Amino acid sequence: MSLNGWLQIILLFALVLAVVKPLGAYMARVFTGERTFLSPVLAPVEKGFYALSGIDPAKEQNWLTYTIAMLVFSAAGFASLYAIFRLQAYLPLNPQGFSNLTPDLAFNTSVSFVTNTNWQSYAGESTMSNFSQMAGLTVHNFVSAATGIALAIAVTRAFIRSGATTLGNFWVDLTRCTLYILLPIAIIVAIAFVALGIPQTMLGTVDVGTLEGAKQTLAIGPMASQEAIKQLGTNGGGFLNANSAHPFENPSALANYLSIFSMLAISSALVYTFGQMVGSRRQGWALLSAMAVVLIAGVCAVYWAETFGNPILAHLGVDPSLGNMEGKEVRFGQAMTAVFVAATTGLSCGAVNAMHASLTPLGGLVPMFLIQLGEVLPGGVGSGLYGMVVFVVLSVFIAGLMVGRTPEFLGKKIEAREMKYAMLAVLILPVCILGFASISAMAPFGISQIENAGPHGLSEILYAFTSATGNNGSAFAGLSANTPWYNTTLGISMVLGRFGYVVPVMAIAGSLVAKTKVPASAGTFPTHTPLFVGLLVGVILIVGGLQFFPALALGPIVEHYLMLAGTTF
């Protein structure tokens, strides 16, 4: 660890904090229907979309109708993506002449991008045409992110309204999010990425001469535009197989800095939007503080673990003074690699600028654990916020049991019905992660696809289902996941991790919006204080993470002690 590294980390988080308030306030105005500086240009476009689609923006939906609209939209998105992948060879903008995807890979990839997971069981430069990248993947990078934000705003309205039945209109929230937030910011970031050296072209390949005088063919394409929304929408799917470790997707330290900033900006600002809309900015800052505590702890843990180094390499005569540089890009260094690793998994982004399988065992444990906590630190755009609300519901109920205070949050009493829905949501993760991972770790068709034996092989399987169910999309590598078993089960995990989680959350919102807000009393447990922030962090760590500790103990923790002993399995 170095002073320069810590200064880079501090500056990055300071820049993110600087945009939280202005961006969060802007998004609050967008979703409350107020006029913004973009309204003169975009308001007529917005109205045109409603007119063409027959949507009445003044007509609101109850929680069930809102949720069904979201599910229908997602199903239509899946069908369109699947068709593109299965017909890729016959569609335009395919200069490399790529063939159609197999049914199981098309299923896995379609589910992946619809659920904002962006898990990739393929190498983009040798599988996806420009048409599939642009008309398929990039489009869903926008709308899957917008869907998550729309759901978070619907949940937010449950705390604003009293004795109501509706949570807004899904189609209006989706349209406004895409038009006023994601698209304008993505255009700016894409231009910045082009200026920093990321290609943006319709060519499929370019031939270059090597230093030895040979010819090498390099894959290129419309990368900057996809890179921008990939980070802003916490999607994470790379145009190329190496993702943000590739110099075409992430050419310099400055591009890397902008990538991490883009990942964190909207998700962090949405927490301020929550506070602004519910009329309690202090509540927004409290939730953001809880997110920041765990995320920064994760950054510190990864940075320490990677600079500590790998004793096995030291025994082989490798200079240990630089720490563990295996799988990392020298242009980023350990500090910015550590931030990227923690940010992409504390979020549900899944982009990578280093190979997570090459991290030290404890360095690899941190990103896996951050995903297993529920992707709420600060989580994916929208999904992190409504996931945090679930933990808040659990926290105030637990606090009420512990100290005899009224279990309520923002004037809404938390009762048995909300708790049942909340527990249904949080149980989705362990059921999918531990269930599918245990089968894969025992069945021949599961273990035959891992590259490493012993605890690291278990970590490869566990990370894959953790990433899929958490809608993250990053991979531990070493696992050949492009098989019918993994494509299918990982796809099911993605569906349940997204929709099996959000349906109970929307049911909580429907229950709360119908309740009459009650003023705070002497028996109300305050939820904007450092005490509550500490309680919330504790609930996230215990409820969200403790259930995975036995599996982690068999994987990265055992591997850590083997590393200290200077041996491998």
Side-chain angles (χ1 to χ4, degrees), residues 396-412:
V396 296
F397 191 82
I398 292 171
L401 294 177
M402 291 172 60
V403 299
R405 295 293 188 94
T406 303
E408 61 182 54
F409 181 58
L410 295 173
K412 296 298 181 81

Side-chain angles (χ1 to χ4, degrees), residues 3-4 69 93 144 154 165 172 182 192 214 242 289 296 316 368 390 558 563:
L3 177 61
N4 179 54
L93 300 177
S144 67
T165 59
V172 173
L182 295 177
S289 298
I296 292 173
L316 295 175
M368 196 185 313
V390 171
V558 168
M563 182 193 75

